[in-house]
Amino acid sequence: MAAPAVLRDVFLAHQKHWGEEDGGFLFEDPAGPLPRIDVLIYRPTARIGLTSFTTIGMAGRPMPSTPGPGASGRLELSGPGGSGRAELQFSRRGALTERAENEIARQLANLAVHPFRAGTQLDWGHLIGLGQEFPTFPGCHAVFLSGPLTENARDYIRTVEGPVRILNVIPITDQERDLGRALPPLDFVQTLLQRVDILAERPS
C-alpha cells in the first residue's frame, strides 16, 4: 500500500534537511491508530557529534481535536503547524549501540501513538510522563516537547495536508518536570538550557 502523500512530503523534507539516513527502525501495528511508524537515524559525523532521530508516520492523520491550553501560557496549535499534524525529533550526544538506538526508536514510536490513544493533542510546551526512564537517560522519567532549539532549526514542514509541526523531545528528570509545571514553557526551556546539557545524560 502506497504511503499517504503527507508522509512522502515529510520523508522528502527530512532528506533535504538531513540527507540520507544512516539507518532506521520500522514499527507496524495494522490494528492500531497509526499502522506504520518509521524512525530514521542519523549517526554522528566529524562535523556533528550527535545521533539524531526523526519519526515518519505520526502525521499520517491529525491528532484528536482538544481545547488549546492557552490559558496556562502554553503555545497554541493555531500558528504554523496548526493542522494538528506533527512528527517527533530527538538528538543525543555521541554514538550509540544498535540496542540503544532501537530502544530510543521504540520510545519515540510509543510517543507518536500517545495522542491517538489518549485522545489529546501534543504541542510545544507539553510535559509527558513515561512511567519509565527514557532510554540512555537515567533518571529521566518524562519528556518536554519543545519548538526549535536553535536559530536555524525547523519548526514545521510544509505538506499537501498543511504544515506538520516538529516536536523536539527532551528527556527530563522528576525535579525538572516539577519545575516545568511551575514555569511557562519558554521560561522553563531557557532555564533548562542554562542548567544542563539537554543532549546528554544528567550528572549523577
Side-chain angles (χ1 to χ4, degrees):
M1 182 177 177
V6 61
L7 299 185
R8 292 198 299 271
D9 288 349
V10 169
F11 174 71
L12 292 174
H14 285 337
Q15 277 204 324
K16 182 177 180 181
H17 183 78
W18 297 97
E20 187 175 353
E21 70 274 13
D22 297 308
F25 295 93
L26 167 63
F27 301 94
E28 293 183 293
D29 182 4
L34 299 175
R36 171 176 175 150
I37 301 173
D38 291 273
V39 182
L40 307 184
I41 300 172
Y42 306 87
R43 299 190 176 103
T45 65
R47 188 172 64 89
I48 302 174
L50 300 174
T51 301
S52 295
F53 300 74
T54 58
T55 63
I56 301 177
M58 185 178 178
R61 54 183 290 199
M63 288 180 281
S65 179
T66 55
S72 65
R74 301 193 188 283
L75 299 179
E76 299 274 6
L77 276 169
S78 57
S83 67
R85 296 177 191 262
E87 293 287 358
L88 303 175
Q89 187 168 282
F90 170 76
S91 293
R92 189 201 191 286
R93 294 203 188 280
L96 298 168
T97 64
E98 183 177 358
R99 178 178 178 179
E101 288 180 348
N102 179 278
E103 290 174 348
I104 290 173
R106 186 173 299 278
Q107 180 65 81
L108 293 176
N110 287 336
L111 279 171
V113 174
H114 172 75
F116 304 98
R117 296 200 185 281
T120 187
Q121 291 195 3
L122 297 183
D123 195 6
W124 297 339
H126 285 182
L127 299 160
I128 305 170
L130 304 177
Q132 61 186 14
E133 291 181 331
F134 192 97
T136 77
F137 278 77
C140 293
H141 298 91
V143 296
F144 174 75
L145 301 182
S146 174
L149 294 168
T150 63
E151 186 176 340
N152 297 322
R154 301 176 296 169
D155 55 356
Y156 66 95
I157 296 169
R158 294 186 183 278
T159 75
V160 294
E161 295 290 349
V164 170
R165 180 160 292 190
I166 296 174
L167 306 175
N168 292 284
V169 177
I170 303 174
I172 56 174
T173 64
D174 295 341
Q175 184 178 16
E176 290 164 353
R177 188 183 187 189
D178 290 341
L179 181 63
R181 287 170 170 159
L183 293 176
L186 293 179
D187 291 346
F188 172 60
V189 74
Q190 289 170 1
T191 301
L192 201 58
L193 290 170
Q194 291 170 0
R195 292 185 177 187
V196 298
D197 181 356
I198 63 170
L199 304 177
E201 291 180 24
R202 304 294 187 270
S204 56

